[in-house]
Amino acid sequence: MSFPTLQVRPNEKNPKVLRAHEFLRQANQLVERNLLNADGKKLLAKQLSKMVNEVKGIYALDEKRIEAGKSAKLLDKLKVVHEVSMTVMEDRFVTADLARKVLEKNSEVQRKLTEIENLRNSVQVTKAEVQREKEKREKRRNFTRKSTDELAAKSSTILKHLENSADVVKLRKMEEAKRVLEEEVEGLRKEKNRLGEQIKTNKATLKVESRKSFQKTIIECAKHYKLCQTLTPKLLKSQKNVETLKEEEEIRRASGSLDETILIPQIPDAVFDVPTGAECDDLNLLLNTTIEANNDDWKQRRFEFLVGETFLRTSLAEFIEEYEVETETVLKVECVIGIEAPKPLHDIQAPDWVSSVQIANNHIFSTTYGGDIVIVDRKGKETKLAVNSANRILKCSSIVKTPAKKSELDGTEILVGGENQLLTLYAIEKGVLAEKLILRGHERAVECVSVNSDATRAISGSVDTNLKVWNLDATDESTNFEKDENESATKKRKKDGRTKVPMVTIGGHRDAVTAVTWCPWKAGHAFSSSHDHTIVEWDLELGCVHKTGKNCGKNRRMLRLT
């Protein structure tokens, strides 16, 4: 029986291979000496086959390692070759780019040379035209000079013929008469000078005589001046009071609240039998007719009629039935002058429901439920600064800043809030209403907003029952909103405006906040009202309730302090 053979590599150092070789040599010796039986030989052969296979696997693994090393070296060489190739390609690209630039420069130089050549041709053409124009001008000058000489010669000939004519004789007589008139004028001038000297002498005499009467006049003027100094302050004060009263009267008349005092003549104290079907118009006719009977100068007026403590708005029959007045009772009716209801000066149409209105710099700023910011002047004319915020309901606004000049709009800032839970600060810059700042923090619709007097803080209320205080200072960065790095691009805002978060969030109301305003008599305090039937005064520096007004009846929709 033969055993498998195993060749040992030169300089073999693997102990496992060496052991296998030694074990194979010893097995061959045992077989040669015939020291093993058949079963031992089979078992030994099986063991030797296993060891030989392991050694062959080791040889195969070593060969693969050697091949991998060679492949790595080859790969390194390929990398070096690739880098060299890339360098060569880059050099080629640079060379091609330089060649392209050189070609472009050459074409540009060629184009400029062509332009210079065209300019040179144009200059030559212009010089030729100028030369032709000079020649034409010289021809005209020579022609004019020649024509002038001919006319001068003809004129001299005509004058020679006219020297002895009748017209020349008349002209000479006229010159003689002119000389005589000049002599007469000179005589009159001398007479005038003489009379002037005489007047000066008379003035000196009169000056001495009038000085005494002038001194008396000065004394009387001084007395009058003192009296005027005494009366002038009183007169100025009276004029100022009159002007103030006139201004107040104009304001009250414009607002329809002017209560003009009308002297009503004495009405006879008598009992009038009036049918129960009579209404206010019938009583007006009766009263005006009665007054006209006693006063011819009376003009028709509209009266309001007061029965007890109730104004009469229906017929007497309906009034008696409503208030259960006995039919045989004599009603005492008082009359007062009726005041006409004020009429609107301008009817400004808005594109949608108007949610807020503010006044600044002789302009009216309003917001609508359609997302519009509409700006109109005092005459109701809409400016071109109106903005429409699509898909956004605006519900409140507040003026932040106004420019020094009342007639200008540039520099005006307005803060608006609405259904999208945001407050947006708009500024008018160079005639454009642009978004400047976004205030983010409310969880539901913003119902109201108010800015303090120095325009550094704003307070807002929302349906989420919270109040939030915002920092409007442009130099402040502590409340800037930092966006999440993982935020998707679809959620980012298109406009690159700053966004801020609130300085303070105050939760105290149990229902939606409907109105907010800063306290005018105490800095750092503000008031708010809510659907929870309360009006609350807040100390914003401490972030707590200062005073609460509870049980306010119906839900409050407005709160305004001045």
Side-chain angles (χ1 to χ4, degrees), residues 206-224:
L206 290 172
K207 187 175 182 181
V208 174
E209 293 178 354
S210 63
R211 185 171 295 166
K212 295 181 180 179
S213 60
F214 182 68
Q215 289 177 353
K216 292 180 181 179
T217 305
I218 288 175
I219 293 171
E220 291 180 0
C221 288
K223 291 180 180 180
H224 287 293

Side-chain angles (χ1 to χ4, degrees), residues 31-181:
V31 171
E32 289 175 357
R33 294 177 184 176
N34 200 14
L35 297 176
L36 297 173
N37 56 13
D39 293 335
K41 289 179 180 181
K42 289 180 181 180
L43 183 61
L44 185 60
K46 186 177 181 181
Q47 187 68 25
L48 287 173
S49 298
K50 184 177 180 181
M51 291 180 67
V52 168
N53 291 332
E54 288 181 357
V55 170
K56 289 181 178 180
I58 291 171
Y59 285 170
L61 184 61
D62 290 341
E63 289 177 358
K64 288 181 179 180
R65 286 176 181 170
I66 293 169
E67 290 177 358
K70 292 180 180 179
S71 299
K73 290 180 180 179
L74 181 61
L75 183 62
D76 292 337
K77 291 181 180 179
L78 289 175
K79 285 183 179 179
V80 172
V81 171
H82 177 69
E83 290 176 357
V84 172
S85 300
M86 290 300 295
T87 304
V88 172
M89 290 297 293
E90 288 178 357
D91 292 340
R92 287 181 179 177
F93 287 146
V94 171
T95 304
D97 191 24
L98 290 174
R100 182 180 56 79
K101 290 182 179 179
V102 168
L103 290 174
E104 289 178 356
K105 289 289 184 182
N106 288 335
S107 62
E108 187 176 355
V109 169
Q110 189 65 31
R111 182 175 55 80
K112 288 186 177 180
L113 288 174
T114 304
E115 291 178 356
I116 291 170
E117 186 65 27
N118 293 333
L119 288 173
R120 187 180 292 111
N121 295 333
S122 300
V123 169
Q124 291 178 356
V125 172
T126 305
K127 285 183 179 180
E129 291 178 354
V130 169
Q131 186 64 29
R132 286 196 296 272
E133 189 66 28
K134 284 183 179 179
E135 292 175 356
K136 289 180 181 179
R137 201 173 294 169
E138 186 65 26
K139 288 181 180 179
R140 287 198 202 99
R141 191 179 294 113
N142 294 332
F143 179 75
T144 305
R145 190 181 297 112
K146 185 177 180 181
S147 301
T148 305
D149 293 340
E150 292 177 356
L151 288 173
K154 290 180 180 179
S155 299
S156 61
T157 305
I158 292 169
L159 287 174
K160 288 179 181 179
H161 288 293
L162 291 176
E163 280 183 355
N164 298 322
S165 66
D167 294 333
V168 173
V169 174
K170 289 181 181 180
L171 182 61
R172 288 175 180 173
K173 289 182 179 179
M174 290 175 66
E175 288 178 354
E176 184 67 22
K178 178 181 177 182
R179 186 179 60 77
V180 173
L181 288 173

Side-chain angles (χ1 to χ4, degrees), residues 454-474:
D454 58 0
T456 58
R457 298 288 185 274
I459 184 171
S460 60
S462 169
V463 180
D464 61 11
T465 73
N466 291 327
L467 296 170
K468 294 185 183 289
V469 182
W470 311 87
N471 192 339
L472 301 181
D473 190 356

Side-chain angles (χ1 to χ4, degrees), residues 358-370:
Q358 299 289 333
I359 307 297
N361 283 39
N362 296 328
H363 284 74
I364 304 167
F365 295 74
S366 61
T367 60
T368 71
Y369 274 63

Side-chain angles (χ1 to χ4, degrees), residues 72 77 90 133 140 162 167 222 299 339-340 345 350 353 356 418 428 450 461 466 505:
K77 291 181 180 179
E90 288 178 357
E133 189 66 28
R140 287 198 202 99
L162 291 176
D167 294 333
K299 295 181 180 180
I339 300 174
E340 295 291 338
L345 296 177
W353 292 347
S356 69
I428 301 177
S450 179
N466 291 327
T505 298

Side-chain angles (χ1 to χ4, degrees), residues 29 79 117 174 252 290 388 402 503:
Q29 289 179 359
K79 285 183 179 179
E117 186 65 27
M174 290 175 66
R252 291 170 62 194
T290 304
N388 180 271
T402 57
M503 298 173 60

